Amino acid sequence: MTFERTKPTNTADDTAEWLGVDRKTVYAGVNAGTIPAIRLGRKVLILTQPLIELVGA
């Protein structure tokens, strides 16, 4: 899959590909609170619109 700007959430893997970083970096950002995300059990979903606003894309 690829990062979808129209979806309310994206996976950490898709977000990492879009940002050009490793997925571990995305998880570190989520854990630090710098990447907006929600957790559903073990699944981490990145909030698309807040992330786009954060990076200014």
Side-chain angles (χ1 to χ4, degrees), residues 11-50:
T11 66
D13 287 337
D14 291 340
T15 301
E17 181 181 326
W18 182 65
L19 293 173
V21 299
D22 188 75
R23 73 184 182 119
K24 290 180 181 180
T25 304
V26 172
Y27 285 119
V30 169
N31 290 332
T34 56
I35 294 180
I38 56 174
R39 291 183 183 270
L40 298 172
R42 292 179 50 142
K43 189 169 186 87
V44 174
L45 297 173
I46 310 304
L47 299 172
T48 304
Q49 196 57 40

Side-chain angles (χ1 to χ4, degrees), residues 1-10 18 46-49 52:
M1 295 211 65
T2 59
F3 189 86
E4 296 284 336
R5 289 175 170 253
T6 57
K7 290 175 26 180
T9 61
N10 278 282
W18 182 65
I46 310 304
L47 299 172
T48 304
Q49 196 57 40
I52 290 171

